[in-house]
Amino acid sequence: MSSTSPVKPEHLPQHIAVIMDGNGRWAKKQGKIRIFGHQHGVRAVREIAEGCAELGIKYLTLYAFSTENWNRPKFEVNALMGLLVKTIRQETETLQKNSIRLEAIGDRSHLPQDCQRELDEAIEATRSNDRMTLILALSYSSKWDILNAVRSIAHEVKLGKLEPEAIDEDLISSFLTTRDYPNPELMIRTSGEQRISNFLLWELAYSEFYFTDVLWPDFRKEHLIEALKEYQNRERRFGKTSEQITK
Ligand code: FPP
């Protein structure tokens, strides 16, 4: 497909997941401290959320803060939390204007009180929006989610509410915090790193991965379009042969 050809609206993913990476390196290139990169990353968040909504994508999950990110220097963690509070407060109006519903996955009890409050308010204010759902993965890691699901399932079995034989893929999915969303068909990671970093390990089992060298603060709608064109060029076989798919 040529770079000028448009994306096919009938063949778009329903759900895109993004690992927003490269903020620190972007800042370093400008001779600035890391938080400067995070601040500029907010513009990319806005552009991509708007772009996805305009294109008709129904779900967008952004990896905003991982469980492992708590190990970063305290100054950076505090600055990131402050930025989250400020961004959620400032962007709620844009979410409303675009009829975007905000949701969050992750261990929210670990977030600072003001961050939890701001998030709860924005989630409540946008709950009836139906154009797109924007899911922020905050204090999230997939192993954390799977571990909790396993514990809950084991508990149900112990109480005699569930037979071990009844545990299947759908049941496990129903115990994950992502239970209300379809699995992402496309996962984008910026900044040239090619890792999954404890993100949606169960849900991305059959997703197409798209890696770009663009650093997150520079990621714009045209980069999203490039990723979608590449996605539309892939043949999704789900373990079958090419002949079975095209038949
Ligand atoms: C990864 O870059 C980025 C993060 C850990 C934070 C992402 C946060 C934002 C884009 C800002 C706010 C987001 C929302 C949703 C309001 P990095 O710091 O690991 O970069 P590096 O790999 O170059 O060091």
Side-chain angles (χ1 to χ4, degrees):
M1 199 183 289
S2 87
S3 61
T4 50
S5 57
V7 279
K8 291 177 270 185
E10 69 283 4
H11 182 39
L12 284 168
Q14 262 196 292
H15 186 172
I16 300 178
V18 185
I19 301 181
M20 310 181 285
D21 199 9
N23 294 353
R25 276 163 284 166
W26 188 89
K28 200 171 173 191
K29 271 172 57 182
Q30 334 264 327
K32 299 276 178 25
I33 58 164
R34 298 175 54 78
I35 192 65
F36 187 72
H38 298 315
Q39 285 162 347
H40 282 260
V42 174
R43 173 160 172 207
V45 169
R46 193 183 305 122
E47 278 235 2
I48 298 322
E50 276 180 8
C52 283
E54 282 161 14
L55 284 161
I57 308 293
K58 296 312 282 181
Y59 301 88
L60 172 66
T61 299
L62 300 177
Y63 206 4
F65 194 87
S66 72
T67 308
E68 290 77 16
N69 286 154
W70 289 116
N71 299 321
R72 289 194 174 194
K74 204 168 163 30
F75 170 75
E76 184 173 345
V77 170
N78 290 343
L80 261 171
M81 290 299 140
L83 185 62
L84 272 165
V85 171
K86 185 171 155 221
T87 306
I88 295 166
R89 191 175 296 152
Q90 281 176 357
E91 300 296 330
T92 305
E93 206 181 304
T94 317
L95 295 176
Q96 300 290 40
K97 229 184 287 165
N98 289 284
S99 193
I100 298 173
R101 175 180 183 150
L102 185 72
E103 298 205 344
I105 51 172
D107 188 357
R108 270 150 73 181
S109 67
H110 262 83
L111 299 172
Q113 287 292 327
D114 58 340
C115 194
Q116 288 188 40
R117 197 177 332 111
E118 212 61 52
L119 197 56
D120 289 346
E121 282 175 19
I123 289 171
E124 183 54 33
T126 61
R127 63 181 292 183
S128 49
N129 293 345
D130 59 4
R131 192 171 173 208
M132 185 181 83
T133 302
L134 171 63
I135 304 139
L136 295 184
L138 281 172
S139 189
Y140 170 87
S141 81
S142 192
K143 285 190 175 180
W144 163 85
D145 205 9
I146 293 169
L147 186 71
N148 281 329
V150 171
R151 278 204 188 118
S152 303
I153 293 168
H155 196 62
E156 299 271 294
V157 171
K158 191 177 165 192
L159 292 175
K161 290 185 180 172
L162 188 67
E163 290 299 320
E165 295 70 29
I167 301 171
D168 59 11
E169 288 190 14
D170 286 345
L171 183 110
I172 293 175
S173 297
S174 76
F175 275 82
L176 295 172
T177 56
T178 51
R179 66 183 76 84
D180 294 331
Y181 321 124
N183 289 331
E185 296 95 329
L186 173 64
M187 192 283 284
I188 299 172
R189 182 170 189 152
T190 58
S191 89
E193 304 295 343
Q194 302 194 0
R195 283 189 296 279
I196 194 164
S197 300
N198 214 346
F199 185 46
L200 303 173
L201 302 177
W202 177 270
E203 299 83 347
L204 294 177
Y206 270 104
S207 307
E208 295 298 324
F209 287 6
Y210 177 84
F211 299 106
T212 171
D213 287 339
V214 175
L215 302 174
W216 179 252
D218 290 330
F219 199 79
R220 293 290 173 268
K221 282 179 194 168
E222 66 261 29
H223 301 115
L224 173 68
I225 299 290
E226 279 314 305
L228 286 167
K229 283 187 196 169
E230 162 97 29
Y231 166 80
Q232 296 192 329
N233 251 351
R234 304 254 181 105
E235 183 183 60
R236 305 192 71 215
R237 292 200 291 273
F238 302 96
K240 294 183 181 172
T241 67
S242 184
E243 290 69 28
Q244 284 175 300
I245 300 298
T246 49
K247 218 164 36 184

